[in-house]
Amino acid sequence: MVDSGLASEVNEHQRLQLQFQLFQESLPKVDETVYRMLLNEAVPLAIGVERSLNHLEEDSTDQLETDLNSKLTFESQELGASHKLLQEYMTADQDQQIRINTRLENIGFQLGQKLSQLLIFSNNPNLSFKDMDLLSVMKFVCRDVWKQVFGKQIDNLKTNHRGTFYLLDYNYKPIESFTLEEDLSDQEQKMMEPFLHVPCGMIRGVLASLGFEKEDQVTCQATLVEAPDSKQAGASAFAKSVSFNVQVLVER
Amino acid sequence: MAIYSFWIFDRHCNCIFDREWTLKSNQSSGTTNSKQNEDTAKLLYGMIFSLRSISQKLSGEGSHNEIRTISTGKYRAHILCTASGLWFVLLSDLKQEDLSHVLRYLYSEIYVKTVVHNWFSPVDFAESDSEKRGQGVRKIRNRSFLANVERFLGPMVN
């Protein structure tokens, strides 16, 4: 009697495990590396588009010549390697940098809007958004959205309960392996900046699709910060921690 | 275990990384990406290149035959050639029979993670056509690559 009970329990456990495995296998899958690289490549893309547009503006004064030139050479299509484009971001003037960052935020915004549809309707039928307050929406961003996009949750969420949130990610995945030469830490931080605008836009997009959609209702800024436990490790182990500061204006 | 030096060559016949340890007792001794090693790098490249083509000729038509180690009276060279044309070369003493797992780790865990996934670093180290014929002098200099190589190979020096 005892034996058979134990056996059936094991079987039950095995059955559940098998079911879980089958469920995992049935989920749509894509290679993580490729997806991450694609997400990162959005930044050189934005810089490249901005540059091409600039060239176009300059050239429009001399229409005939450009037409001829573009037929004779391939230079107008040539954009160069990604790391060169990133170097270009460093030397670009402020206006251009702002335009690049807006472009990136818009990419993130679109991504966020669509992502929340996916997460709500296909992955998480149990989540009810009807009586969700702002805090649980932000929790949704920290848990589900981050898990889906970066494979981990946000490490720390702080709020003043009046619409200001600090989301701390102590190891922001996309910029994990980005380093320059030894002593160029300032330049390194500057070059990482555009990579932070995509998740900013994404947070805004998710919030917009969940009812916080008025213009200028949500502002999001990201800054690189020092991780709390990296101080003893020294500057050489510069951890890629990011703090997202989200401000939401809620009318009463 | 004793290793003497570590080299990476790219597909344009350039040496893009070199690290040579001079003192067995000191893991941080020696040179990294030094100009003095340029000639040694060329000689090493030439040796591997010719032995590689010999081994491929001797294997007969059709079958693929990659060179793995070269032993001389004083040292042994361990070689890993990737399909993208990178050569990872490790010089060690004669006691090391096969360090191919070390080379594979250097490639897949260190090079790929700190150079290929690093958006600030070029993947192809020859920037203009003039550098594509073996005259390039660009090296891998990014901080995390250097640190990781040092951390991984350092304990094997003595």
Side-chain angles (χ1 to χ4, degrees), chain A residues 169-172 175-176 178-179 188 192 238-242:
Chain A
D169 195 340
Y170 293 138
N171 184 15
Y172 181 56
I175 56 170
E176 199 177 26
F178 289 9
T179 48
E188 199 173 289
M192 277 176 199
F238 173 65
K240 309 298 190 325
S241 331
V242 183

Side-chain angles (χ1 to χ4, degrees), chain A residues 130-146:
Chain A
K130 269 211 179 118
D131 38 36
M132 228 184 195
D133 57 340
L134 188 54
L135 185 62
S136 23
V137 168
M138 289 311 288
K139 276 186 188 160
F140 168 75
V141 171
C142 293
R143 288 205 191 111
D144 302 64
V145 174
W146 233 251

Side-chain angles (χ1 to χ4, degrees), chain B residues 98-150:
Chain B
D98 188 22
L99 292 179
S100 59
H101 57 289
V102 172
L103 286 167
R104 225 170 297 133
Y105 183 89
L106 282 165
Y107 176 45
S108 63
E109 297 292 317
I110 296 180
Y111 181 82
V112 168
K113 285 208 174 132
T114 59
V115 177
V116 179
H117 284 190
N118 185 349
W119 251 241
F120 299 165
S121 151
V123 179
D124 193 346
F125 283 81
E127 283 191 355
S128 60
D129 280 335
S130 63
E131 290 171 16
K132 289 190 176 166
R133 302 256 169 207
Q135 285 103 332
V137 285
R138 271 169 226 280
K139 306 272 184 185
I140 305 178
R141 271 207 213 86
N142 86 63
R143 174 155 42 83
S144 58
F145 179 81
L146 296 181
N148 276 323
V149 166
E150 217 55 32

